[in-house]
Each structure stands twice: as structure tokens, then as C-alpha cells.
Amino acid sequence: MKRTLLVFSALTAFVAPAIAPAVAQAQQAEIQDRDGRRGDTRARREQRQEPQTQPPRQPRQDRTDRRQDRREDRRQDRQDRRGDRRDDRQDRRQDRREDRGDRRQDRGENRQDRWGDRRDNRQDRRENRQDRREDRRDNRQDRREDRQDRREDRREWRQDRREDRYENRRDRRDYREFRRSWSRDNWRRDWDRRHRSDWWRGNRSFRGYTGVRVGFYFAPNYGYYSVPRQYWGRRWSEGDYLPSIFWRYQLNDYRTYGLGFPPQGTRWVYVDNHIYLIDEYDGYIIEVVYDFWRW
């Protein structure tokens, strides 16, 4: 404790003399500021107490002259504006007169143009009437020719129909002769008596045949082929027309299977495990052999 007191006393002895001049200067500056503010306050008070002096008034005659000058200036301005308005009116009237003259001239030219256009339109209408009359004559002639052509077409169509009927009658005679010489029931009886139900096994024409496939038919010597959905599993009878997609699968060795000789213009074709005798022209079914082989 004693040591601390000794250290504090030593510091005070050294610092106090150094701080004393700075403190004295600060006090002196504060006193000067106070004196300056007091002097300013006194000056403002003296200025307020001084009497206010007014500027000297100008003589009344000068004011009257100025007013008179201003009035003269206004009158002159009014006169100038009136003169300008008169000039503008004159210019506008002149412009209107010129515009009227130009409009009259344009109206005259427009009338002449309209009269010329009317004459041209009348002439065009006359020409159009003449063209319509010629078109009517041409149309009448065309209608006459069309009627004549239709009559000739009817004659030719009737002749063709007669020829088709004659050919159909002749074909039907051939079909009747074929049915007289070949019977499906007799063929089935003789074929079943001489062959077993699995006669097709080991036949080279049935190579690759593995049974029924959905959406496919098998044709000997051709193999499997895709069938449209609407035709798969369907049977046709005599008098029906076989779709053309089956005409290509023709049976050529009909003698091997004991089938009758197809008349001219006909063929035997495979459809699933059935055989159809059809007309090559339109696919008309003449004869059918169902279940030619069985799995």
C-alpha cells in the first residue's frame, strides 16, 4: 500500500506542472469568447435603436409622365394588333377565294371523268351482255352434245350388258357341266376310303406345317401367310365372292388330289384347310371342298 502511494505521489509531481499551462490557455480562450459575444449583442441593440430613414419620394409630375407613356404604348400596341388582324383577314379571304376556284376546277374535271367512266361502263356492260349471250349459246350446244353422249353411252352399256349376260350364261353352262362330271360327295367318299386322316404327314407340300396359328393360314407349297382380322376363321359358300387376297394361293396339282379339271377362266385355290373353285374374273365361288386335311 505504501509503495502504491509513493508511486502516485511521484506521478502527480511530474504531471501537474505540465498540465498547468494548457489549463490556463483554455481558460483564457473561454474568456475571450464571452467578451466577443457580449460585443455583438451590444451592436445589435444599437442598430435597433437607430431611427429608420425612408427613401426620398419622387415628384408627382414624373409619375404622371410615366403613366402617360404607358398609355401611349398600349394604344400603339392595340393599333398594331388591329392592323395585323386586318391583314390576316384579307389573307384568309384571298386564300378562301383561291380554294373555291380550285374546288370548282376540280369538280369540273371530276364530272368529266365520271362522264367518261359512265360511257366506258355502259360499253363494258354491252360487251358483257354479248358475251353472256354467246356463253348461253355455247352452253346449249354443250348440253345437246352431252345428251347425245349419254344416249350413246346408254346404247354401249346396254350392248355390254347383253354381252355380259351372254358370257355369264355360257359360264353357267360350263359350271353345270363341271358339276355333272364331278361330285363333291363322291370325291369325299373315295378320298377317305383310300387315305388316312393324317395322309398329309410326310408330304413335301406340307413341309413346315405345325398346326393352327392365330391370324395365319397355311397353304401347301406356299407356307404360312397373314390374314386380315375380318377374314380369319371365316367360311364362304357357293355363290359368294372370295376376297382377292386369297386368289394367289392356287392349287396346281389338282389331279394328284383327284379334283375335277377347272373350266376355262376358273382355278382351285387354298383358303385355310378348304379348297375353293372360283372365277378368275370376280372371285365367284363355284365349288367348295371343306376340311381338305385335318391336324
Side-chain angles (χ1 to χ4, degrees):
M1 186 67 182
K2 291 180 181 180
R3 187 177 299 172
T4 304
L5 293 173
L6 291 174
V7 172
F8 182 75
S9 300
L11 290 173
T12 304
F14 285 105
V15 172
I19 294 173
V23 172
Q25 290 178 0
Q27 290 178 354
Q28 187 66 28
E30 185 176 357
I31 292 169
Q32 290 177 359
D33 291 338
R34 290 176 183 175
D35 294 339
R37 286 197 295 273
R38 288 175 183 174
D40 294 337
T41 304
R42 290 195 191 97
R44 283 197 297 274
R45 287 177 181 175
E46 292 176 357
Q47 187 176 0
R48 290 175 184 174
Q49 291 178 0
E50 290 180 358
Q52 296 180 356
T53 59
Q54 297 180 354
R57 294 184 178 180
Q58 295 179 358
R60 184 175 294 178
Q61 185 64 31
D62 295 339
R63 290 198 298 273
T64 304
D65 295 338
R66 290 175 184 171
R67 291 175 184 173
Q68 189 67 26
D69 295 337
R70 285 196 295 272
R71 289 174 183 172
E72 291 293 334
D73 295 336
R74 287 172 190 155
R75 290 192 190 118
Q76 187 65 31
D77 293 336
R78 289 172 187 170
Q79 293 293 333
D80 295 339
R81 285 196 296 273
R82 288 173 184 172
D84 294 337
R85 283 197 293 272
R86 290 192 192 96
D87 296 337
D88 293 337
R89 289 173 187 171
Q90 292 293 334
D91 295 337
R92 286 197 296 272
R93 289 173 184 172
Q94 186 66 25
D95 293 338
R96 283 198 293 271
R97 290 186 189 129
E98 293 176 358
D99 293 338
R100 288 173 186 171
D102 295 337
R103 284 199 295 271
R104 289 172 184 171
Q105 185 69 23
D106 294 338
R107 288 173 186 170
E109 294 176 357
N110 292 332
R111 288 174 184 171
Q112 293 292 333
D113 295 337
R114 284 198 296 272
W115 289 339
D117 295 338
R118 288 174 184 172
R119 294 192 192 98
D120 296 338
N121 292 331
R122 289 173 185 172
Q123 186 66 25
D124 293 339
R125 284 197 294 271
R126 289 171 186 167
E127 294 176 357
N128 292 332
R129 290 173 187 171
Q130 187 67 24
D131 294 338
R132 284 197 295 271
R133 289 170 186 166
E134 294 177 357
D135 292 338
R136 289 173 186 171
R137 295 193 192 99
D138 295 338
N139 292 332
R140 290 172 185 170
Q141 185 67 24
D142 293 339
R143 283 196 294 270
R144 292 193 190 100
E145 294 177 357
D146 291 339
R147 290 172 186 171
Q148 186 67 24
D149 294 339
R150 284 197 296 270
R151 289 170 186 168
E152 294 176 358
D153 293 339
R154 288 173 186 171
R155 293 192 191 99
E156 293 177 357
W157 178 69
R158 289 171 184 171
Q159 184 67 25
D160 294 339
R161 193 165 56 178
R162 291 193 190 104
E163 294 176 357
D164 293 338
R165 287 176 183 173
Y166 176 73
E167 292 177 358
N168 291 333
R169 288 173 186 170
R170 187 176 59 185
D171 293 339
R172 282 197 292 271
R173 289 173 187 170
D174 295 339
Y175 300 161
R176 284 196 296 270
E177 292 176 359
F178 172 78
R179 290 193 180 95
R180 288 172 188 170
S181 62
W182 187 84
S183 175
R184 177 175 54 189
D185 297 334
N186 294 334
W187 175 87
R188 174 63 68 184
R189 185 177 61 253
D190 296 340
W191 182 263
D192 292 343
R193 187 176 59 226
R194 288 181 296 178
H195 297 80
R196 297 185 304 175
S197 60
D198 59 348
W199 61 267
W200 54 271
R201 295 183 184 275
N203 193 327
R204 291 190 303 176
S205 300
F206 288 84
R207 185 178 301 172
Y209 180 62
T210 58
V212 179
R213 291 185 184 179
V214 178
F216 292 86
Y217 283 167
F218 180 83
N221 294 321
Y222 294 97
Y224 285 98
Y225 61 91
S226 178
V227 180
R229 183 179 300 177
Q230 66 270 24
Y231 298 142
W232 192 85
R234 181 179 173 183
R235 278 190 179 190
W236 288 269
S237 304
E238 297 176 10
D240 295 337
Y241 290 89
L242 187 69
S244 59
I245 61 173
F246 301 111
W247 297 0
R248 70 185 71 177
Y249 305 105
Q250 183 175 357
L251 189 151
N252 296 318
D253 52 348
Y254 55 89
R255 292 188 181 88
T256 303
Y257 299 110
L259 299 173
F261 178 79
Q264 186 178 2
T266 63
R267 68 175 67 173
W268 291 99
V269 295
Y270 294 109
V271 181
D272 197 9
N273 61 340
H274 315 307
I275 300 177
Y276 294 85
L277 180 64
I278 64 171
D279 191 332
E280 293 180 347
Y281 178 73
D282 56 0
Y284 178 79
I285 299 175
I286 304 168
E287 189 62 61
V288 183
V289 176
Y290 296 111
D291 299 326
F292 182 61
W293 72 87
R294 294 183 180 86
W295 173 255

